Amino acid sequence: MFRIQALRARSYGEWVCRSCARRISTESSPAELKLKNNIHVHWLRQKELRTRFAPSPTGHLHLGSLRTALFNFLLAKASGGQFILRIEDTDKKRIVPGAEEQLIEDLRWAGIKWDEGPDIGGPYGPYKQSERTALYQEHAKHLLESGHAYRCFCVDQQTYDRTQKKRASIPGEHIHICAELPREEVEERAAQGERHVLRLLVNTLHDLERFHLGTNTTTGQVPSELPVYRDTLGRGQREWNETHAWEAKQAPEAVPAPKLQEHIVLLKSDGMPTYHLANVVDDHFMGITTVVRGKEWMQYTAKHVYMYNAFGWKPPDFAHLGLLHDEKGEKLSKRNGATEISAFRDRGVLPQALVNFVALLGWSHEERSDYMQMSKLIKRFSTRFTRAKITVSLNKLWYLQKLHTKELALADGPAIARLIDQICDDLPTQIKEGPRPDWLAWRNIKMHVRKVFLADVKNFTQIDNFLSRNEYFFAPIILSHYQPPPCDKHHPDPIRVSDLVAAADHFKQLSRENWMKEHLSALLHDLINGEQGPMKLVSENLEMTYTEREDFEKQQLNFSLEDLNAADKKNKDLARRRRSWNRALYHYLRWALAEGKTGPSVLDILDILGRDETLNRLAQAAALVGSGGGKGDQKGPADQEDEVSEPAMTAAV
């Protein structure tokens, strides 16, 4: 016995072994963990956060937008707050028919539930921007009157961009021509019905000093510079100022000239708002406290904060997430159909696995495993976000898919039932064309698929891969020549194929009534251990009888060292021979029943195929090897490298 040294664990009140004491001493207490993560989680407990997801129905939900929705949802629920769904449907030209319904369906499928939204209402509705246009026009007018916006007659964006570029190339020339028009001219052209848009008027202190603009000629007021704002979430607080206005004033020689400022459109010529105006107004009136979105919006956040200041409102906290890229380094977008959530669902990906996978795209945690259900994600979520480029590798998704599928299969709930129904629906298109085999025609196909699924659940990733791996359960097999496995390098004596055929022939002993796992397992055990079949003679020749073993134990003191070594060698030879036999028999059965493909254990294959189809395939295999379609001996270790053998009997059973 090993001596276990124990000590009294201070402050734990129990005896623990030394290794456990070391582990306990290195683990942080709850208070220490809270202090360690203070920058990420302390504010989650200070107040209930209100977050939102505001998709545009111009396409279907994809990985990036699902991540935005999920992070906002988890953030709200981790703080005990509310999550709001808002539809930004003001861009009528780009709206895709049915996209809004598909967005809602995809979010529900993913398990993301909102507290307020277009379908359930709420105290701050309506939750469709197309139904709030009067509110936007009212506040656009406020910006116009306060000098923070102006009418621009360069309605076409290309015209606006061309004018900017042309005037920027002329020294001393101001680039925003419509912002300099006299007020009388602007009002006259607008009154005559000339098409125009409303743009945000943004000038930095550097611009004002360069162009000597004391006041704006259209509004008669001095426009403000872009503000400095803090990205208060994520890994600490970071200041962001798009134009470096203050630094330019303090030390112009040390700071490069600011880039040209785009005067973003607030109201389009048809009176509909753009995202920039609508999201600021809606976030304020819906009480949004925290905005989590992609890093691509960071270039506009200073302008949005500028608008909050112009209205006299307090802006929400902002967090900007790193952009998602594929393994080639290209940015993922809604235009990439392969990343659509509906595509993952159609492939059989479980919502639990996809949500778990998406939660790891830009968020880090301190759990020992990446495997987490939604409840645990809510409990552990924090703002440990990354702004760096994030590479999306689906290998992690397939790993999590296997874990979630296995867990749900044990519970045998409705999620697995829906997945099996989905496999049944895809079966006709995935399996090679032709009539259903006679042995399968009389079976309940749903029950058959269920048995195959549960037998191979640990390998399930997606439907097409599952059906490809297990095609031999749904279609006739076509056997090619039999290739024996390599011999055991410690026991190079070959095993004859005729012995394998003779062993497989013992399955005829079982009747249809007894064809069940219990009896099949017992028969396999007997064939492997030499209690039946060709291995029995080998065992009888090599293994000592009970009387011989008893005599050996009584008289072992009288045996010479040579006798003991000979007996030991005899037992080792038997063990090696059994391993070789085990390997060869499983290899032959898998070839005969499943064309040698990987998948469920041989025991599961025998059980699922049933007696008639099993015996039919074994007879077909025996005829093939008997006619020269298989080699009679195994290859020696010098002829072929080691291959992966069938698992041992205990693992297979």
Side-chain angles (χ1 to χ4, degrees):
M1 293 179 60
F2 293 97
R3 181 182 178 185
I4 300 179
Q5 296 181 346
L7 51 86
R8 188 76 173 178
R10 185 170 55 190
S11 76
Y12 292 98
E14 58 183 358
W15 289 94
V16 295
C17 69
R18 192 174 298 277
S19 62
C20 290
R22 284 196 297 268
R23 177 179 57 80
I24 293 172
S25 66
T26 58
E27 288 181 345
S28 302
S29 65
E32 291 171 334
L33 287 175
K34 183 177 180 180
L35 180 62
K36 181 178 180 181
N37 296 326
N38 186 50
I39 194 172
H40 306 293
V41 301
H42 77 282
W43 57 273
L44 285 176
R45 307 296 180 258
Q46 302 301 316
K47 62 179 180 179
E48 295 182 357
L49 302 181
R50 283 178 61 84
T51 64
R52 50 79 169 170
F53 176 55
S56 174
T58 57
H60 295 160
L61 196 70
H62 56 94
L63 280 181
S65 53
L66 177 61
R67 182 187 62 161
T68 301
L70 179 63
F71 279 26
N72 280 282
F73 169 77
L74 294 175
L75 201 59
K77 296 310 171 183
S79 68
Q82 299 82 42
F83 172 68
I84 293 88
L85 175 64
R86 188 174 71 219
I87 303 297
E88 298 189 346
D89 58 346
T90 57
D91 194 349
K92 298 297 184 181
K93 294 181 180 179
R94 296 179 56 213
I95 289 180
V96 176
E100 179 182 332
E101 293 76 11
Q102 186 67 53
L103 283 168
I104 293 177
E105 180 183 345
D106 289 342
L107 289 172
R108 284 178 173 159
W109 173 82
I112 297 177
K113 301 177 182 179
W114 44 95
D115 302 288
E116 304 168 25
D119 56 333
I120 60 177
Y124 300 100
Y127 293 90
K128 288 186 179 182
Q129 288 186 344
S130 59
E131 301 173 4
R132 301 167 65 89
T133 53
L135 183 65
Y136 308 134
Q137 292 171 354
E138 175 187 347
H139 286 80
K141 182 180 179 181
H142 173 81
L143 292 177
L144 183 64
E145 294 175 349
S146 65
H148 293 91
Y150 66 94
R151 290 187 176 94
C152 178
F153 298 94
C154 302
V155 178
D156 182 75
Q157 186 65 28
Q158 293 181 351
T159 303
Y160 173 76
D161 294 339
R162 186 166 55 250
T163 303
Q164 271 194 305
K165 184 176 180 180
K166 180 179 179 181
R167 291 178 65 84
S169 64
I170 303 175
E173 192 74 13
H174 199 267
I175 59 175
H176 303 295
I177 184 172
C178 291
E180 301 176 7
L181 295 175
R183 180 181 302 176
E184 295 76 11
E185 179 183 345
V186 171
E187 293 179 351
E188 181 181 356
R189 293 172 66 175
Q192 293 176 356
E194 184 175 348
R195 292 179 65 225
H196 63 276
V197 297
L198 199 67
R199 293 186 183 274
L200 182 68
L201 180 59
V202 177
N203 282 316
T204 66
L205 291 179
H206 188 80
D207 290 330
L208 296 176
E209 292 173 356
R210 176 185 176 188
F211 299 114
H212 310 289
L213 297 178
T215 60
N216 177 264
T217 56
T218 301
T219 64
Q221 300 186 29
V222 179
S224 302
E225 72 280 357
L226 283 178
V228 174
Y229 78 92
R230 291 179 180 270
D231 207 52
T232 55
L233 307 183
R235 296 187 179 277
Q237 296 185 350
R238 299 187 181 186
E239 293 187 0
W240 173 268
N241 184 358
E242 189 176 359
T243 62
H244 304 286
W246 290 107
E247 293 83 352
K249 184 177 182 181
Q250 298 295 329
E253 70 282 358
V255 180
K259 64 181 180 180
L260 299 177
Q261 288 297 322
E262 177 191 3
H263 288 183
I264 56 177
V265 176
L266 303 179
L267 276 184
K268 292 177 283 188
S269 59
D270 60 359
M272 297 298 289
T274 63
Y275 168 84
H276 303 290
L277 175 63
N279 97 91
V280 168
V281 173
D282 286 343
D283 285 350
H284 170 72
F285 282 100
M286 292 184 180
I288 302 302
T289 63
T290 309
V291 175
V292 180
R293 57 189 180 186
K295 191 177 179 180
E296 69 270 22
W297 291 107
M298 210 169 193
Q299 60 180 316
Y300 297 109
T301 304
K303 294 184 176 71
H304 296 164
V305 175
Y306 173 84
M307 293 169 63
Y308 278 102
N309 294 342
F311 288 126
W313 300 337
K314 179 183 177 181
D317 292 323
F318 292 95
H320 293 91
L321 308 172
L323 301 182
L324 303 182
H325 293 73
D326 60 21
E327 294 179 322
K328 297 180 180 178
E330 298 178 359
K331 179 184 172 183
L332 295 183
S333 69
K334 68 174 68 176
R335 295 172 180 83
N336 187 346
T339 67
E340 290 183 359
I341 304 307
S342 57
F344 287 103
R345 182 178 64 243
D346 293 343
R347 292 161 70 180
V349 176
L350 294 171
Q352 295 87 343
L354 187 61
V355 165
N356 192 170
F357 170 69
V358 171
L360 302 175
L361 298 177
W363 171 66
S364 58
H365 59 85
E366 295 183 344
E367 296 297 308
R368 294 185 177 181
S369 171
D370 285 337
Y371 171 78
M372 285 180 274
Q373 299 282 357
M374 181 71 85
S375 57
K376 191 171 184 179
L377 288 172
I378 293 174
K379 185 178 180 180
R380 302 300 185 194
F381 197 69
S382 67
T383 57
R384 295 175 60 90
F385 302 148
T386 177
R387 295 189 185 89
K389 182 175 71 173
I390 301 164
T391 301
V392 178
S393 174
L394 295 183
N395 290 333
K396 172 69 74 172
L397 173 60
W398 306 138
Y399 165 75
L400 294 171
Q401 171 83 340
K402 292 178 183 179
L403 296 181
H404 282 277
T405 305
K406 185 177 179 181
E407 185 71 19
L408 290 173
L410 293 176
D412 198 15
I416 294 300
R418 288 193 295 268
L419 184 55
I420 291 174
D421 288 340
Q422 194 174 348
I423 295 174
C424 292
D425 293 339
D426 289 359
L427 187 60
T429 60
Q430 296 289 339
I431 300 300
K432 53 190 175 184
E433 298 181 0
R436 185 182 298 183
D438 294 338
W439 63 273
L440 192 58
W442 58 271
R443 296 191 181 188
N444 183 316
I445 190 63
K446 186 174 181 179
M447 294 300 298
H448 183 69
V449 169
R450 178 183 174 81
K451 291 186 70 173
V452 177
F453 175 81
L454 294 178
D456 198 35
V457 67
K458 64 180 181 180
N459 297 311
F460 184 85
T461 55
Q462 45 190 327
I463 292 177
D464 56 352
N465 177 268
F466 167 78
L467 291 176
S468 176
R469 281 170 51 86
N470 297 285
E471 185 178 9
Y472 51 85
F473 285 114
F474 305 98
I477 63 174
I478 301 176
L479 295 177
S480 59
H481 72 281
Y482 174 65
Q483 180 66 49
C487 290
D488 189 333
K489 60 183 179 180
H490 299 294
H491 197 285
D493 294 339
I495 294 176
R496 296 175 300 179
V497 177
S498 58
D499 290 341
L500 298 174
V501 173
D505 200 50
H506 281 70
F507 286 103
K508 294 179 180 179
Q509 299 175 4
L510 291 179
S511 63
R512 187 176 287 108
E513 292 74 17
N514 291 329
W515 196 272
M516 56 186 66
K517 272 192 173 182
E518 179 182 358
H519 299 295
L520 290 169
S521 177
L523 179 55
L524 276 173
H525 181 274
D526 292 347
L527 292 174
I528 292 297
N529 290 280
E531 297 178 19
Q532 291 193 51
M535 191 63 186
K536 185 175 182 180
L537 293 176
V538 177
S539 299
E540 290 174 349
N541 292 333
L542 292 177
E543 191 175 29
M544 291 185 295
T545 64
Y546 177 79
T547 304
E548 290 174 335
R549 185 180 293 109
E550 188 178 44
D551 293 341
F552 174 78
E553 292 173 353
K554 290 179 179 179
Q555 304 176 21
Q556 57 181 324
L557 296 178
N558 299 323
F559 279 100
S560 64
L561 181 61
E562 291 77 10
D563 294 333
L564 292 174
N565 289 337
D568 183 59
K569 183 178 183 302
K570 192 175 184 181
N571 287 331
K572 288 182 178 179
D573 286 345
L574 176 61
R576 292 193 188 102
R577 184 69 176 180
R578 280 180 173 169
R579 284 197 299 270
S580 297
W581 173 254
N582 181 339
R583 185 182 190 185
L585 181 59
Y586 275 118
H587 183 83
Y588 175 79
L589 290 175
R590 182 169 290 279
W591 169 77
L593 301 175
E595 298 178 301
K597 295 180 179 179
T598 59
S601 68
V602 168
L603 179 60
D604 284 321
I605 296 175
L606 291 166
D607 178 54
I608 295 172
L609 290 179
R611 184 179 189 275
D612 293 345
E613 181 61 16
T614 295
L615 297 182
N616 178 54
R617 294 189 180 187
L618 290 176
Q620 180 184 352
L624 180 63
V625 297
S627 63
K631 297 184 179 180
D633 296 333
Q634 292 175 308
K635 287 187 177 181
D639 299 320
Q640 182 174 338
E641 296 181 358
D642 288 345
E643 299 177 1
V644 178
S645 64
E646 180 71 25
M649 183 63 202
T650 54
V653 175

